[in-house]
Amino acid sequence: MLNKKLAAEVSLLFVAFIWGATFVIVQNAIDILPPLLFNAIRFFIAGIIIFLFYLIKNRGKITIKWFSLFPGLILGSCLFIGYSLQTIGLLYTTPSKAGFITGLSVVMVPILAFIFLKIRPQVSAILGSIAAAFGLYLLAVKNSSPFSIGDFYVFLCTFGFAFHIILTDRFAKRVPVLLLTTIQILTVAVLCMFSSLFFEDWKIVLDVKTFFSPSLLFAILITSLLGTAAAFFIQTFSQKDTSPTRVAIILAMEPVFAAITSYFWINERLTAAASIGCLLILFGMIIAEIPIGNKRLFTLKRKIS
């Protein structure tokens, strides 16, 4: 049992590393390919892979009811907002800043759940949100590089990810996990594809030399196979052997890995104030998920009457 738990948590740490490290990879890729088109290709490949897993598990049978499509479409729309704005933001900001700002989605969950669902957050979740907000101020305002339009896009993306977390809690109990994951990922692919057709120069895919460049193919393979298909697969199955609280804390390492890989790969350095801001964001993310006694700091079960 201990070995299974340890394996699950090491696997989740690997997911956090992949998500953190791919900020640099994605930024390099969107210098070649428009961001929406890049996401369309990435999520289409990942969606097909997860769909194949679904077929294998169900021995080639596809059992989809119409009411099971709606949750996947909603969650996919949330992911589309999150990933699209995040990827566009990376055109104008740095990977480490994008990583820590994206991490704010964890502490935004209790705030949005309170506003829209009347779910009361625990006191420590509120404190975690305040610490993260102050950390964002230090990161965005006191950093050597000013708050940019890219930072703003990435900040907006956190709403998509936060709503995805909230709604997943509601929908995951109604629809099989692999089916739900397949629908939402393919939804992202379709929305990104149509958005690219209207708003981007998608004809670059016709340039064989550019599209098949080694750096771009590497980015597509890493983000689709590891950053999307494998990451969702590992996260889904690892959660059976560890607690949701520990999952959230482990995945809070994503922006830390983003900062570390940015430092070593592209020599990105933050000011002292910005580094403190990053630590405050990380502290806020973790404290919002640490249980007090037998209670989590934030729970989706207690509602305001």
Side-chain angles (χ1 to χ4, degrees):
M1 181 64 182
L2 180 61
N3 290 336
K4 289 180 65 177
K5 181 179 180 181
L6 179 62
E9 294 180 354
V10 170
S11 297
L12 288 167
L13 190 63
F14 174 71
V15 170
F17 170 75
I18 289 298
W19 282 344
T22 51
F23 277 99
V24 176
I25 295 173
V26 170
Q27 188 178 54
N28 292 334
I30 59 179
D31 284 338
I32 304 172
L33 209 62
L36 293 173
L37 180 59
F38 173 78
N39 277 334
I41 297 171
R42 164 190 178 177
F43 278 89
F44 177 75
I45 295 174
I48 295 301
I49 292 172
I50 295 178
F51 180 63
L52 291 176
F53 274 104
Y54 171 78
L55 288 178
I56 293 171
K57 183 181 178 182
N58 289 274
R59 299 179 180 179
K61 297 180 181 179
I62 303 176
T63 54
I64 301 177
K65 298 180 181 179
W66 288 109
F67 69 85
S68 65
L69 292 175
F70 178 74
L73 293 173
I74 295 298
L75 292 178
S77 299
C78 292
L79 282 181
F80 165 72
I81 293 171
Y83 276 102
S84 296
L85 291 173
Q86 182 192 73
T87 309
I88 293 172
L90 277 169
L91 288 170
Y92 309 103
T93 190
T94 63
S96 63
K97 288 179 71 176
F100 278 98
I101 295 173
T102 300
L104 285 172
S105 59
V106 174
V107 294
M108 288 180 66
V109 169
I111 298 174
L112 294 176
F114 174 75
I115 294 173
F116 293 99
L117 301 178
K118 304 302 180 184
I119 300 173
R120 190 190 301 276
Q122 298 290 330
V123 174
S124 296
I126 298 174
L127 294 177
S129 299
I130 293 173
F134 185 62
L136 177 62
Y137 168 78
L138 292 177
L139 178 63
V141 179
K142 297 298 183 179
N143 194 18
S144 56
S145 59
F147 192 80
S148 65
I149 186 64
D151 298 327
F152 181 67
Y153 281 136
V154 176
F155 176 71
L156 290 180
C157 92
T158 63
F159 287 90
F161 291 133
F163 276 113
H164 181 265
I165 294 172
I166 294 171
L167 294 175
T168 297
D169 182 79
R170 298 298 179 90
F171 293 147
K173 302 170 185 176
R174 307 176 187 177
V175 184
V177 174
L178 279 177
L179 177 61
L180 182 64
T181 305
T182 299
I183 295 172
Q184 63 180 307
I185 287 181
L186 289 178
T187 297
V188 178
V190 171
L191 291 175
C192 285
M193 181 187 68
F194 281 106
S195 298
S196 179
L197 289 175
F198 284 104
F199 300 111
E200 294 179 336
D201 182 16
W202 57 270
K203 294 180 181 178
I204 193 172
V205 296
L206 302 177
D207 185 347
V208 176
K209 185 177 180 180
T210 300
F211 186 74
F212 287 96
S213 64
S215 60
L216 181 58
L217 290 178
F218 173 77
I220 291 174
L221 288 175
I222 291 295
T223 55
S224 60
L225 298 180
L226 293 180
T228 307
F232 275 100
F233 184 84
I234 291 171
Q235 183 183 6
T236 300
F237 286 93
S238 295
Q239 285 191 219
K240 296 186 297 182
D241 299 309
T242 187
S243 67
T245 298
R246 295 183 69 85
V247 172
I249 294 173
I250 292 169
L251 293 183
M253 287 296 294
E254 176 188 349
V256 178
F257 286 127
I260 293 173
T261 52
S262 296
Y263 175 82
F264 284 104
W265 290 356
I266 61 175
N267 199 32
E268 180 188 349
R269 288 177 169 81
L270 299 174
T271 63
S275 298
I276 294 173
C278 291
L279 291 176
L280 283 173
I281 291 175
L282 181 62
F283 173 75
M285 292 161 58
I286 293 176
I287 198 175
E289 293 293 335
I290 294 177
I292 296 179
N294 293 323
K295 296 181 179 180
R296 286 185 64 196
L297 302 185
F298 170 65
T299 175
L300 287 173
K301 295 181 179 179
R302 183 182 178 187
K303 293 189 176 182
I304 299 173
S305 57

